[in-house]
Amino acid sequence: MYGHVAQLAEAEKAGIEKAGGSATIYQVAETLPEEVLQKMFAPPKPDYPVVKPTDLLKHDGILFGVATRYAGWPAQLK
């Protein structure tokens, strides 16, 4: 919610590209209504494409950056 995972993803992408690879950053679709996000004072999401299951088949490797709450995965990924 506060951009920590996006910041980590950008650092990972920079490292992969520095080593000669390529990387694409995706985000998972938001499941909360806009009204709820506004009440939470959630900042805008980064401008990354929303991933579809078929997108994952295009890549040789996948890194997941997941913000957790009490060590649990968010509902969008369960």
Side-chain angles (χ1 to χ4, degrees):
M1 184 164 119
Y2 301 105
H4 300 105
V5 175
Q7 188 176 12
L8 177 65
E10 290 290 347
E12 292 290 341
K13 181 179 179 184
I16 290 167
E17 290 174 346
K18 185 176 180 182
S22 64
T24 303
I25 299 175
Y26 293 104
Q27 63 182 333
V28 176
E30 182 59 69
T31 58
L32 291 175
E34 186 62 32
E35 179 181 309
V36 172
L37 292 171
Q38 289 174 357
K39 289 179 180 178
M40 294 171 59
F41 302 103
K45 299 285 184 199
D47 191 26
Y48 301 131
V50 174
V51 71
K52 298 179 292 259
T54 55
D55 293 330
L56 301 178
L57 301 174
K58 301 174 189 175
H59 303 285
D60 294 328
I62 301 169
L63 294 173
F64 289 96
V66 180
T68 63
R69 183 175 173 104
Y70 303 113
W73 284 68
Q76 295 97 320
L77 295 176
K78 287 186 179 182

